Amino acid sequence: MTKQVQQLDRVIIRFAGDSGDGMQLTGDRFTAETASFGNDLSTLPNFPAEIRAPAGTLPGVSSFQLHFADHDILTPGDAPNVLVAMNPAALKANLSDLPRGADIIANADEFTKRNLQKVGYDVNPLEDDSLAEWRLHSVPLTSLTVKALEEFDISKKDAERAKNMFALGLLSWLYGRPVEATIKFIETKFAKKPEIAKSNVAAFNAGYNYGETTEAFSVSYEIKPAPLSAGVYRNISGNQALALGLVAASVQSKLPLFLGSYPITPASDILHELSKHKRFGIRTFQAEDEIAGVGAALGAAFGGALGVTTTSGPGVALKAETVGLAVTTELPLIVVDVQRAGPSTGMPTKTEQTDLLMALFGRNGESPVPVIAPATPSDCFDAAVEAARIAIKYRTPVMLLSDGYLANGSEPWKVPSQAELPDISVPYTTEPNGDDGTTFLPFKRDTETLARPWAIPGTPGLEHRIGGIEKADGTGNISYDPNNHDLMVRLRQAKIDGIDVPDLEVDDPDGDARVLVLGWGSTYGPIAAAARRVRRGGHKVAQAHLRHLNPFPKNIGEVLKSYDKVLLPEINLGQLALLLRAKYLVDIISYNRVRGLPFKAEELAGVIQEVIESE
């Protein structure tokens, strides 16, 4: 029987199951297949912080959402069209997000009395018509997988573990995904366990064949590739992009890169990725704690390297003293903060934008640092290069604010050629710079950038003091002179204020919108998608997005005051709004949610609509 193939322009799929069901791996593989097919895509992994929450419970549910389309998309989607639920907990945890008419593919084998009781189901929802609003496909995924693997010399437990590959095969058939790359991935992943590799490939093929032969699915779907400009593309997560951006920054600056880092969710993958690139002269050091990591990075900067440390909010708090030392010694250092929900340990695997004020002011004394924030997963690459440019050119630590949504989410990335990247190299100081031709003045500043010389230890004639005690202007001698301290404080601030950053660009198609929606960081996708919806509804709205948060673009005051109303959505309680109100005396309209999740485009479109209609 030839089954009907239905054309779709986009679809949102959510894989959900227990932490041990391999939902992140399944989602990653389906994403890789989708990327190779040429669709535009955006992903949202969502998993618990616990290493292993109790099996079959709501706290142990892990999910992976993928939105892919035949056109340009900006978010992982507001609500899934398809939910793959591997157990009752996965169904219960995600059902409220599912719109009426959506598909549910449920692993019927796991809906046992014991598993139902764990999450509070008195009766089996697959059998009592409580899911009548949705299109339910009750499939015995586990038993079908075990049956398909009977010929292999593996335990029943290992056979059951392959059910995620069966589900992946089924979804690959259902949406016409390529299969060769996944089979090769499985064979490579389990190369040291050939029987496990063969059984997982068999489970994947069995799922694909089940889709072709079962009467439970009478239709498959086709989502054509998205039109993309010519070039080489790859699917990339924010952490991967940021790591590769640091590698590119090392090459373009002609400096060895040193990463001093202590593992912390959700930043650890940057350390993992950079450790793979030793051929570029990258050195990675897994420190014993956060303070040691940043101390080693700053020491490397003193020695002439591009020093980097990566962390999340709790680690930034611990690194604050050393970042202040980098401010006063005026050495280039990149501090990557992959923000997560706080305070304290908070929700380690959930996203927030709550570290902005800490990045700006979370140190003792007047210790200004530049702050930049990428907007999308792939933009993390460019943000890393920009952070390095500023750090090297102005001899300053730079805070780069990513977050959990960007770090773990992924999208297609057009790989740039090296010729497209800026040359950000700055020569070391090698000769004395005093008026007499023999003296070295470690704090004699460049007249344009106010950066001090970068002299590598051991350079003959350039010996100088370094440390946290205040230094005299020019000579670098220890100084307690009140007027000198006032001068040095002002010079360090003026150096940051003078950093060259591009003007804020505004997307205002007709040029006559009266409402501006402003954002920063990972809110870009939801805000842009919401603006599209509002414009399709016949309303006018302008959009602008900040990358540079210190210093601000020079035209931002003019932009803010040229609109009747400015709406600023943030995943915090209004941190950027506080700064803009204080600095530019503009009545910013804040919209704040702190749920550990990104905004939904539909939600923001409604807020924008309300602001426009209140004019």
Side-chain angles (χ1 to χ4, degrees), residues 18-39:
D18 194 68
S19 295
D21 286 338
M23 292 297 94
Q24 301 307 315
L25 175 64
T26 305
D28 282 338
R29 288 314 311 161
F30 196 88
T31 299
E33 294 172 1
T34 298
S36 67
F37 188 74
N39 297 119

Side-chain angles (χ1 to χ4, degrees), residues 160-241:
E160 290 176 347
R161 282 177 176 167
K163 62 182 179 291
N164 65 324
M165 289 296 105
F166 188 99
L168 178 59
L170 171 59
L171 268 293
S172 297
W173 171 82
L174 193 58
Y175 291 98
R177 303 295 89 188
V179 300
E180 293 79 9
T182 292
I183 292 173
K184 185 177 180 180
F185 168 82
I186 295 171
E187 293 172 341
T188 302
K189 181 177 177 63
F190 298 108
K192 295 181 179 179
K193 299 179 179 180
E195 199 69 7
I196 296 293
K198 292 176 183 177
S199 62
N200 274 271
V201 170
F204 176 79
N205 288 330
Y208 194 96
N209 294 333
Y210 177 81
E212 280 192 329
T213 58
T214 183
E215 295 181 3
F217 298 93
S218 58
V219 177
S220 65
Y221 302 96
E222 181 182 19
I223 298 93
K224 292 184 177 179
L228 300 171
S229 59
V232 176
Y233 287 82
R234 61 161 289 183
N235 182 52
I236 199 165
S237 71
N239 275 347
Q240 290 173 325

Side-chain angles (χ1 to χ4, degrees), residues 8 10 18 33 82 148 163 186 196 216 277 279 329 350 371-372 374 413 438 457 467 495 507 524 526 530 568:
L8 298 176
R10 67 184 188 96
D18 194 68
E33 294 172 1
V82 182
K163 62 182 179 291
I186 295 171
I196 296 293
H277 299 290
R279 66 187 182 278
T329 56
K350 309 304 179 184
V371 178
I372 66 175
W413 173 54
T438 61
K495 180 175 70 170
D507 175 22
Y524 171 78
L568 176 52

